[in-house]
Amino acid sequence: VMNVITIEDYKSTYWPKLDSAIDQLLTQSPGDYIPISYEQIYSCVYKCVCQQHSEQMYSDLIKKITNHLERVSKELQASPPDVYIERFNVALGQYMGALQSIVPLFIYMNKFYIETKLNRDLKDDLIKLFTEHVAEKHIYNLMPLLLEAQSTPFQITPSTMANIVKGLYTLRPEWVQMAPALFSKFIPNILPPAVESELQEYAAQDQKLQRELIQNGFTRGDQSRKRAGEELTYNGSSACASSRGYR
């Protein structure tokens, strides 16, 4: 027979264990070894669910992760343009990596509370938190920097660009409308097949969006960081560099 877990027991013993484990998972770097007992945490969640603490545990989990994401968002806001894209990529990758451990640990809560009582799914809820507390707040700063980076060779790695664009599409597919040509380079079949006569139009659309975003107060990256001679190359080839990607 399982011992009775009072709300005081939950708050003083069970949640602190979960809180500590979640902290480590949210802040680990890829490949880190996390010194926590997954079996112990899994068992802890199971006992709390059986003792009717699911609602409290779900509330605590959402609050915990929301507070973490608000800190992440503030750190991104303080990032200079030249490292902004890379830091967004790290934040996105780190969070999605953490969910691969957090969601399975709370599988009992998901099955017996979130799915049955709330008619939702824990992973969907946690991805939505990142969308609301990080991505939505940064999309209008991020997009002009991505458009600039795709037309400036070697500014960021192709893998970073691919990770972010695919990630944004996963979070909110309608963001494709902000830069269809950019998304189409990484997401199959989101545009109708392009004909040669439309390539310049796609490039022009990207440039128009950049201008509109800049006019609305979203600044481009610091051009002063370009190496000597690169400015000429950039100005002379940005449209061509853009259009080459859409064949």
Side-chain angles (χ1 to χ4, degrees):
V1 178
M2 191 181 294
N3 292 330
V4 174
I5 300 173
T6 66
I7 188 65
E8 287 76 19
D9 293 333
Y10 166 81
K11 288 181 176 177
S12 64
T13 303
Y14 288 84
W15 175 249
K17 288 179 185 175
L18 298 174
D19 185 277
S20 174
I22 295 162
D23 250 344
Q24 292 182 65
L25 291 168
L26 287 172
T27 55
Q28 69 178 325
S29 298
D32 276 2
Y33 169 72
I34 302 297
I36 62 175
S37 167
Y38 285 86
E39 186 178 353
Q40 184 184 51
I41 300 304
Y42 189 82
S43 170
C44 192
V45 171
Y46 173 75
K47 290 175 183 175
C48 290
V49 169
C50 292
Q51 297 273 322
Q52 309 299 312
H53 296 300
S54 294
E55 185 176 357
Q56 182 67 53
M57 187 162 52
Y58 176 73
S59 173
D60 289 339
L61 177 64
I62 295 299
K63 184 178 178 182
K64 168 80 179 173
I65 293 183
T66 297
N67 288 340
H68 167 77
L69 290 175
E70 286 176 348
R71 287 194 298 273
V72 168
S73 183
K74 286 178 182 175
E75 288 169 6
L76 279 172
Q77 284 170 351
S79 297
D82 59 322
V83 294
Y84 187 93
I85 293 176
E86 198 57 60
R87 287 185 183 175
F88 185 92
N89 184 49
V90 169
L92 176 64
Q94 189 175 48
Y95 185 72
M96 292 304 180
L99 293 195
Q100 291 179 9
S101 296
I102 292 172
V103 171
L105 287 175
F106 286 88
I107 191 170
Y108 275 102
M109 182 182 73
N110 191 44
K111 186 173 183 180
F112 294 104
Y113 175 69
I114 302 174
E115 288 183 357
T116 54
K117 299 281 180 67
L118 305 181
N119 295 313
R120 294 205 306 268
D121 177 77
L122 178 59
K123 185 176 181 181
D124 292 344
D125 282 1
L126 298 185
I127 288 175
K128 187 178 178 186
L129 286 182
F130 188 90
T131 306
E132 292 176 349
H133 294 284
V134 181
E136 278 184 0
K137 293 180 179 178
H138 292 272
I139 188 71
Y140 291 103
N141 285 337
L142 185 64
M143 197 56 72
L145 292 172
L146 290 175
L147 289 170
E148 180 183 3
Q150 74 150 349
S151 61
T152 311
F154 313 117
Q155 186 167 319
I156 62 169
T157 65
S159 62
T160 295
M161 180 71 84
N163 288 343
I164 293 178
V165 172
K166 290 176 181 177
L168 292 175
Y169 183 73
T170 300
L171 298 177
R172 185 152 294 173
E174 57 264 36
W175 280 338
V176 166
Q177 302 307 318
M178 296 181 69
L182 173 62
F183 278 85
S184 71
K185 293 176 72 175
F186 304 98
I187 313 293
N189 305 320
I190 61 167
L191 288 180
V195 296
E196 192 71 27
S197 61
E198 293 174 335
L199 294 178
Q200 289 301 323
E201 183 182 342
Y202 286 147
Q205 286 173 359
D206 272 359
Q207 291 169 354
K208 180 171 178 283
L209 178 62
Q210 284 191 42
R211 288 195 299 272
E212 287 172 353
L213 289 167
I214 291 164
Q215 286 166 5
N216 287 323
F218 300 106
T219 57
R220 293 157 67 100
D222 185 354
Q223 298 297 315
S224 66
R225 289 185 173 84
K226 293 189 181 297
R227 294 187 295 273
E230 190 175 329
E231 189 71 40
L232 289 171
T233 308
Y234 172 71
N235 287 336
S237 66
S238 59
C240 299
S242 297
S243 65
R244 277 199 299 272
Y246 307 132
R247 289 201 168 89

